[in-house]
C-alpha cells in the first residue's frame, strides 16, 4: 500500500522580546505570533506572571490596562493541532503613570523682561512632547515641544492654561495639568524730574 506522510516545520514563537513598553492606566495590546506547526494554535502562559491588569488569551493576545509598574518576565507557550509545543521567555516593562510634575503656579514674569521656564513630567516612556491643551499663554510667549515656556511677555495679567505632555509609547500616553502665570506690568520710575530745587546748607 502506498503511504503518504506530511512533516510540518518545527513550530517557533517569532514574537520579539522585550515587548513594547506599557504604561500604568493606559490600555495595552500586543499580539503574539509563531511559524510552523500544524493547524490552529492555542496560546497559554507556561510560567511566570504577566503584568497586573493584563491577560494572555488563547488566541495569543496580551491585552488589558496595566495596574502595576515594573519589569516582568514570563514564558509564553503555543500548542498546535498536533499537540506540538513551543515556548519562549518574554520580557515587558510597565512604566508608572505619566504625570506632569511642574507646579500649578509657575514663577511670575514681567512685561518686557525675557521669561523662561521648563516644564517637567515623570512616568510614561520618555521622551515627552509638550503642547497647550486649552487656554492662552501670556502674550509674547510660546511653549516648545521640549516643554520650554519662553519669550518676552507683552501684556500684564494672570494667564490660565492647560498643558499636555505626551510620551513616546505605543499607544501614546497623555497627561495634562492646569497652569497659572502672573505677568507684572513693566517697572517704571515715576519720580518727576527735575527734582525740587535745594539750597546749600
Amino acid at each position: 500500500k502506498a503511504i503518504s506522510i506530511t512533516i510540518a516545520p518545527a513550530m517557533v514563537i517569532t514574537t520579539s522580546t522585550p515587548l513594547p513598553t506599557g504604561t500604568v492606566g493606559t490600555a495595552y495590546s500586543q499580539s503574539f505570533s509563531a511559524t510552523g506547526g500544524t493547524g490552529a494554535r492555542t496560546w497559554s502562559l507556561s510560567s511566570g506572571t504577566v503584568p497586573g491588569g493584563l491577560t494572555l488569551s488563547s488566541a495569543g493576545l496580551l491585552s488589558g490596562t496595566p495596574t502595576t509598574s515594573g519589569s516582568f518576565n514570563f514564558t509564553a507557550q503555543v500548542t498546535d493541532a498536533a499537540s506540538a509545543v513551543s515556548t519562549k521567555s518574554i520580557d515587558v516593562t510597565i512604566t508608572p503613570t505619566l504625570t506632569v510634575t511642574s507646579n500649578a503656579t509657575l514663577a511670575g514674569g514681567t512685561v518686557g523682561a525675557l521669561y523662561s521656564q521648563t516644564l517637567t513630567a515623570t512616568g510614561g516612556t520618555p521622551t515627552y512632547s509638550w503642547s497647550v491643551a486649552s487656554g492662552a499663554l501670556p502674550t509674547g510667549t510660546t511653549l516648545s515641544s521640549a516643554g520650554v515656556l519662553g519669550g518676552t511677555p507683552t501684556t500684564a495679567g494672570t494667564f490660565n492654561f492647560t498643558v499636555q505632555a505626551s510620551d513616546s509609547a505605543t499607544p501614546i500616553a497623555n497627561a495634562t495639568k492646569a497652569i497659572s502665570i502672573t505677568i507684572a506690568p513693566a517697572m517704571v520710575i515715576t519720580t518727576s524730574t527735575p527734582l525740587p530745587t535745594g539750597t546749600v546748607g
Side-chain angles (χ1 to χ4, degrees):
K1 188 172 185 177
I3 301 293
S4 175
I5 300 177
T6 298
I7 305 299
M11 188 164 55
V12 178
I13 295 175
T14 56
T15 302
S16 297
T17 184
L19 300 179
T21 300
T23 302
V24 171
T26 299
Y28 185 89
S29 180
Q30 181 68 34
S31 294
F32 285 22
S33 58
T35 59
T38 302
R41 304 184 183 102
T42 301
W43 293 82
S44 60
L45 188 64
S46 174
S47 65
T49 305
V50 298
L54 301 185
T55 57
L56 177 61
S57 73
S58 60
L61 180 66
L62 180 67
S63 63
T65 301
T67 58
T68 306
S69 62
S71 296
F72 299 84
N73 174 266
F74 58 93
T75 299
Q77 174 177 298
V78 62
T79 305
D80 71 2
S83 298
V85 173
S86 179
T87 61
K88 186 171 184 177
S89 178
I90 301 292
D91 296 304
V92 62
T93 298
I94 303 298
T95 61
T97 303
L98 178 63
T99 304
V100 177
T101 54
S102 297
N103 291 332
T105 301
L106 296 182
T110 303
V111 170
L114 187 65
Y115 183 89
S116 182
Q117 187 77 23
T118 300
L119 302 180
T120 57
T122 60
T125 303
T127 56
Y128 310 121
S129 178
W130 294 84
S131 60
V132 178
S134 64
L137 299 176
T139 309
T141 66
T142 58
L143 177 63
S144 74
S145 61
V148 178
L149 176 62
T152 302
T154 59
T155 305
T158 298
F159 297 83
N160 299 291
F161 52 93
T162 299
V163 296
Q164 175 175 286
S166 302
D167 73 357
S168 302
T170 303
I172 294 172
N174 297 307
T176 60
K177 188 167 189 176
I179 300 288
S180 177
I181 299 177
T182 297
I183 303 298
M187 188 164 57
V188 178
I189 296 175
T190 57
T191 303
S192 298
T193 184
L195 299 177
T197 300
T199 302
V200 171

